[in-house]
C-alpha cells in the first residue's frame, strides 16, 4: 500500500510543502527513510517505532519505505515524525483517512517516546503560507495551536498526543479547531517609565525624536550616566505595532522557537546582545540558518551597549541590514533572507577610562588613546546613525529631586501626533522620516529662507557629505513635525545640528 501525507518546512520566514510518501510492501522486515540527513533518520525511526508501540499500536512487520520530497529541500528531521507515523498507519490500513482530508491537511510534530507531541518551531510561518500552498487545515502540536490560529484563513487543530489524534482521525473523539485569543493587553504594557530617569532631559528629547522619526541614535557618556536605563525606556514611547508588524515580528520568533506559549509579539521587541556575541549570533547563521538578534529586533529596538567593545567585523555585518532592512545569509545551495528592520540604539564611553569630557572626574587617557579609541567606531556605521548625543553624569541634587519629570505617557502623546503627520505625508502606515529617499527629502523638507541660508553656511563650513546633509534634513523634518510645523525653520535646524557630537569630533580632526 502506498500513501502520501503533506507536511511543511520553513526556509527563512517562508514555508514550503514537504511530501511524505509511505510505501508498505511484503519482503524483508525493514524501515527506511530517505530524504532526511542521516543522523536525523536514525533518531526519527527510533522515536516513531517506540511512540507507536507505547500507544498500543503494533508496528507493521513489513518493508516500510518513507520518502520525504522534494529531495533538494533542506529539512530538519523532527517535525516529520507525526506525518510519517500517520502515513505508516494509513498505508497499513490501521487508519482510513479520506483522500480529500489528506489532500487539504498539513501534519507537523515531533513525537516523544510515550507518544506525546512536542512543541515545534515555525508554526505561525507555516500557517501564514498554508493557504497559498493550497491547504485548508493544519494539525500540529497543541502548544503551537494559538500562534498558528492567528491566521484566520486556515483551520488549526492542536493535538497533544498520538492516541488523541488517532481517535480523532477514526471519528471516535472530536477535536475542536483552535480559535485565536487576542493577547490580553494590560493598560500599561511596561513596568518601566521615563519618569524613573532623573534629569537627562536632553537625552529624553533626543529619544523622543528617535521614536518619532525612527532615527538610529548613539549615546556617548561616562559609565553610570544612565545610558542603558534611557535606551530601555525607548520602547515605552514608540508607536503601537500595526497588524502587519505584529505578524512579521511574530513569524521571526515562531521560526526561532521563541514564541512558545505566547501567541504573538505584540509589544516592540527590545534586544540587547552582549558585546561578546558572535557575528552569526548577531546577524543570523548556522547550518540550518536561524535568525540573529537583528531579526529578533525586527520592528523593535536593537541596543548595542559598549559599542567599541564589539568585534569590528561583527559591527561591519550590520551595514547591509541597516540599509536594506533585511539580512541575506549565503549558503552553498541558496541564500536565505530574514527581515531586520530595527531601530539601532548604540552607546559607548567617550574614551578608554570613560571620563573624557566629564565635568566631575578627570580623564586619565592620553590624546592618542582617545583618538585610537574613537576610531574603533566604523565611519560607515556612524553614517547610518542620525542622532548622536552626549549623556553627562548627573549631579546629586538631580538624583534627590522629588519633582515629577517627563513621563513616558507625556512623550507618547507627542510621538503619536507626529506619527499621524508622517502617515499622511507618506500615505503609508509605517514609513518614517528616517527612511526618506533623496527624492522624498527634496519633496518634503522645505526650508524657510533663513533656514536655507543657515544650512548653506553649515554645509560649506563643515564640508558636509551628501549623507550628512540628508541626515540633518531628516532629523530637522522630525523636529518640525513634533512642533506641528510644515516648513523647516532655523530653530529646528539648530536643534538637529546639536545631535552631531561624534561627527563634530571627526570633522574637527579632519580640518
Ligand atoms: Zn579617559
Amino acid at each position: 500500500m502506498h500513501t502520501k501525507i503533506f507536511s511543511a518546512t520553513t526556509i527563512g520566514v517562508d514555508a514550503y510543502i514537504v511530501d511524505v510518501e509511505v510505501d508498505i510492501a511484503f519482503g524483508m522486515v525493514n524501515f527506511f527513510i530517505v530524504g532526511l540527513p542521516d543522523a536525523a533518520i536514525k533518531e526519527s525511526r527510533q522515536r516513531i517505532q517506540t511512540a507507536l508501540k507505547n500507544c498500543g499500536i503494533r508496528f507493521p512487520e513489513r518493508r516500510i519505505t518513507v520518502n520525504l520530497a522534494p529531495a533538494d529541500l533542506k529539512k530538519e528531521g523532527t517535525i516529520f515524525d507525526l506525518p510519517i507515523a500517520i502515513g505508516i498507519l494509513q498505508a497499513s490500513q490501521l487508519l482510513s483517512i479520506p483522500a480529500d482530508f489528506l489532500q487539504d491537511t498539513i501534519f507537523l510534530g515531533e513525537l516523544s517516546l510515550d507518544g506525546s507531541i512536542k512543541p515545534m518551531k515555525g508554526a505561525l510561518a507555516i500557517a501564514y503560507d498554508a493557504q497559498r500552498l493550497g491547504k485548508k487545515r493544519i494539525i500540529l502540536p497543541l502548544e503551537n495551536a494559538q500562534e498558528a490560529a492567528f491566521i484566520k484563513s486556515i483551520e488549526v487543530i492542536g493535538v497533544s498526543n498520538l492516541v488523541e489524534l488517532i481517535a480523532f482521525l477514526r471519528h471516535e473523539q472530536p477535536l475542536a479547531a483552535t480559535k485565536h485569543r487576542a493577547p490580553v493587553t494590560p493598560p500599561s504594557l511596561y513596568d518601566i517609565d521615563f519618569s524613573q530617569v532623573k534629569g537627562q532631559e536632553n537625552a529624553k528629547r533626543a529619544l523622543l525624536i528617535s521614536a518619532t522619526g525612527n532615527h538610529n541614535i548613539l549615546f556617548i557618556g561616562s559609565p553610570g550616566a544612565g545610558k542603558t536605563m534611557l535606551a530601555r525606556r525607548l520602547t515605552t514611547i514608540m508607536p503601537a505595532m500595526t497588524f502587519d508588524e505584529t505578524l512579521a515580528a511574530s513569524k521571526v520568533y515562531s521560526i526561532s522557537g521563541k514564541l512558545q506559549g505566547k501567541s504573538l509579539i505584540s509589544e516592540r521587541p527590545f534586544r540587547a546582545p552582549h558585546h561578546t556575541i558572535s557575528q552569526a549570533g548577531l546577524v543570523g547563521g548556522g547550518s540550518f540558518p536561524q535568525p540573529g538578534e537583528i531579526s529578533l529586533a525586527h520592528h523593535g529596538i536593537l541596543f548595542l551597549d559598549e559599542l567599541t567593545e564589539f568585534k569590528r567585523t561583527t559591527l561591519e555585518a550590520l551595514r547591509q541590514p541597516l540599509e536594506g532592512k533585511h539580512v541575506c545569509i549565503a549558503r552553498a545551495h541558496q541564500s536565505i533572507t530574514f527581515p531586520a528592520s530595527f531601530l539601532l540604539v548604540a552607546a559607548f564611553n567617550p574614551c578608554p577610562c570613560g571620563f573624557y569630557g566629564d565635568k566631575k572626574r578627570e580623564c586619565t587617557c592620553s590624546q592618542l588613546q582617545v583618538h585610537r579609541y574613537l576610531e574603533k567606531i566604523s565611519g560607515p556605521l556612524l553614517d547610518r546613525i542620525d542622532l548622536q548625543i552626549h549623556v553627562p553624569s548627573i549631579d546629586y541634587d538631580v538624583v534627590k529631586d522629588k519633582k515629577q519629570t517627563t513621563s513616558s505617557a507625556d512623550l507618547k502623546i507627542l510621538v503619536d501626533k507626529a506619527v499621524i503627520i508622517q502617515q499622511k505625508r507618506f500615505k503609508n502606515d509605517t514609513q518614517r522620516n528616517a527612511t526618506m529617499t533623496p527624492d522624498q527629502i527634496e519633496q518634503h523638507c522645505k526650508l524657510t529662507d533663513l533656514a536655507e541660508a543657515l544650512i548653506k553656511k553649515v554645509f560649506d563650513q563643515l564640508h558636509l557629505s551628501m549623507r550628512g546633509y540628508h541626515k540633518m534634513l531628516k532629523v530637522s523634518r522630525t523636529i518640525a513635525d513634533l512642533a506641528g510645523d510644515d516648513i523647516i525653520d532655523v530653530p529646528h535646524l539648530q536643534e538637529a545640528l546639536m545631535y552631531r557630537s561624534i561627527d563634530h569630533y571627526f570633522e574637527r580632526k579632519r580640518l
Side-chain angles (χ1 to χ4, degrees):
M1 271 295 285
H2 178 93
T3 193
K4 184 155 89 175
I5 309 284
F6 295 102
S7 190
T9 190
T10 53
I11 296 177
V13 289
D14 301 318
Y16 296 84
I17 288 286
V18 173
D19 296 348
V20 180
E21 295 169 303
V22 181
D23 187 79
I24 298 193
F26 289 105
M28 186 127 70
V29 175
N30 217 329
F31 181 13
F32 303 102
I33 303 178
V34 289
L36 270 185
D38 288 348
I41 291 174
K42 210 173 149 204
E43 290 169 10
S44 204
R45 275 197 316 221
Q46 294 277 301
R47 277 197 307 271
I48 295 165
Q49 268 175 315
T50 315
L52 284 171
K53 202 179 76 198
N54 288 338
C55 291
I57 294 159
R58 207 159 54 86
F59 197 77
E61 288 185 1
R62 295 275 190 276
R63 183 187 166 83
I64 302 174
T65 311
V66 176
N67 178 36
L68 302 178
D72 60 351
L73 194 67
K74 264 206 147 189
K75 310 168 201 82
E76 269 183 292
T78 56
I79 62 168
F80 305 114
D81 288 357
L82 186 70
I84 294 172
I86 296 297
I88 292 171
L89 295 176
Q90 177 81 356
S92 56
Q93 295 175 314
L94 291 166
L95 280 174
S96 50
I97 310 167
D100 57 344
F101 187 95
L102 281 186
Q103 182 62 40
D104 292 340
T105 307
I106 291 175
F107 287 88
L108 303 158
E110 174 183 345
L111 289 171
S112 286
L113 298 182
D114 63 356
S116 58
I117 299 167
K118 291 197 205 168
M120 59 172 284
K121 292 177 178 178
L124 177 65
I126 293 171
Y128 181 77
D129 282 342
Q131 198 178 31
R132 178 176 61 74
L133 297 169
K135 303 298 169 200
K136 295 180 182 160
R137 183 181 307 108
I138 296 188
I139 295 181
L140 82 178
L142 186 63
E143 279 90 340
N144 302 103
Q146 264 301 316
E147 68 174 271
F150 184 59
I151 308 299
K152 300 278 190 304
S153 55
I154 197 98
E155 185 187 3
V156 173
I157 297 173
V159 283
S160 55
N161 64 67
L162 195 55
V163 174
E164 184 185 86
L165 179 59
I166 293 169
F168 168 71
L169 294 169
R170 284 176 172 162
H171 302 286
E172 293 166 359
Q173 179 196 315
L175 277 178
T178 304
K179 293 274 168 283
H180 184 254
R181 293 186 304 268
V184 185
T185 316
S188 166
L189 287 170
Y190 307 95
D191 48 14
I192 50 174
D193 196 284
F194 270 112
S195 59
Q196 297 154 339
V197 185
K198 301 285 181 194
Q200 304 297 15
E201 292 301 319
N202 287 341
K204 288 187 198 174
R205 169 79 185 167
L207 285 167
L208 167 67
I209 297 166
S210 164
T212 303
N214 213 45
H215 301 283
N216 297 326
I217 184 168
L218 174 70
F219 290 133
I220 307 129
S222 317
K227 300 180 295 251
T228 306
M229 204 175 169
L230 284 161
R232 282 202 179 274
R233 280 153 184 78
L234 182 56
T235 45
T236 64
I237 61 168
M238 287 178 75
M241 290 177 93
T242 64
F243 176 85
D244 288 344
E245 286 175 338
T246 297
L247 182 63
S250 302
K251 272 167 83 175
V252 176
Y253 280 74
S254 169
I255 54 170
S256 312
K258 288 186 163 41
L259 263 184
Q260 292 172 6
K262 259 191 289 174
S263 66
L264 285 175
I265 298 297
S266 52
E267 297 163 20
R268 294 199 183 269
F270 179 87
R271 306 293 299 186
H274 190 254
H275 60 74
T276 51
I277 194 170
S278 67
Q279 186 174 328
L282 187 66
V283 299
S287 55
F288 283 103
Q290 285 292 304
E293 288 292 330
I294 61 169
S295 296
L296 292 167
H298 187 47
H299 293 311
I301 290 165
L302 179 73
F303 177 50
L304 302 182
D305 196 10
E306 300 188 50
L307 190 68
T308 46
E309 300 299 315
F310 282 78
K311 274 214 210 86
R312 199 176 171 110
T313 46
T314 306
L315 291 183
E316 287 296 312
L318 285 177
R319 279 167 60 179
Q320 181 236 341
L322 273 171
E323 202 66 28
K325 309 292 179 201
H326 64 265
V327 58
C328 284
I329 298 165
R331 284 290 170 270
H333 299 294
Q334 68 202 124
S335 93
I336 291 164
T337 303
F338 291 115
S341 175
F342 55 88
L343 178 60
L344 176 66
V345 182
F348 66 87
N349 299 334
C351 67
C353 84
F355 296 99
Y356 182 78
D358 194 90
K359 282 179 294 186
K360 287 181 294 185
R361 297 263 307 257
E362 202 176 332
C363 168
T364 54
C365 313
S366 69
Q367 272 302 323
L368 186 66
Q369 277 175 313
V370 176
H371 281 222
R372 286 219 180 111
Y373 177 82
L374 287 178
E375 269 169 2
K376 281 195 194 172
I377 308 289
S378 107
L381 181 66
L382 210 53
D383 269 348
R384 287 161 180 83
I385 299 179
D386 291 350
L387 300 163
Q388 304 151 5
I389 183 162
H390 187 246
V391 182
S393 50
I394 49 171
D395 296 325
Y396 180 75
D397 297 346
V398 178
V399 177
K400 292 311 281 178
D401 195 352
K402 290 273 186 298
K403 169 165 109 250
Q404 264 317 89
T405 56
T406 320
S407 72
S408 293
D410 300 335
L411 297 173
K412 180 80 165 46
I413 293 170
L414 302 173
V415 171
D416 287 343
K417 256 171 77 177
V419 163
I420 293 170
I421 297 173
Q422 295 171 80
Q423 286 169 336
K424 285 187 185 149
R425 169 177 307 135
F426 302 118
K427 299 180 179 60
N428 177 326
D429 277 353
T430 47
Q431 200 195 335
R432 299 283 182 272
N433 293 334
T435 50
M436 279 193 282
T437 60
D439 282 349
Q440 285 176 320
I441 293 173
E442 179 78 17
Q443 187 187 349
H444 299 301
C445 297
K446 298 273 182 271
L447 297 145
T448 61
D449 291 345
L450 283 173
E452 187 91 53
L454 174 63
I455 204 162
K456 185 182 179 309
K457 202 169 118 197
V458 169
F459 192 90
D460 293 340
Q461 275 181 359
L462 298 180
H463 305 287
L464 276 187
S465 66
M466 207 54 194
R467 200 189 273 273
Y469 170 72
H470 282 159
K471 244 166 47 170
M472 216 164 67
L473 284 176
K474 287 192 256 187
V475 174
S476 306
R477 182 63 271 164
T478 302
I479 294 168
D481 286 343
L482 280 165
D485 292 330
D486 272 348
I487 299 180
I488 297 170
D489 206 349
V490 172
H492 309 138
L493 214 50
Q494 281 169 332
E495 188 179 351
L497 269 167
M498 284 176 13
Y499 303 119
R500 305 180 73 255
S501 314
I502 276 279
D503 285 348
H504 280 320
Y505 174 83
F506 282 108
E507 274 149 11
R508 272 200 309 274
K509 242 186 83 204
R510 219 174 36 219
L511 289 177

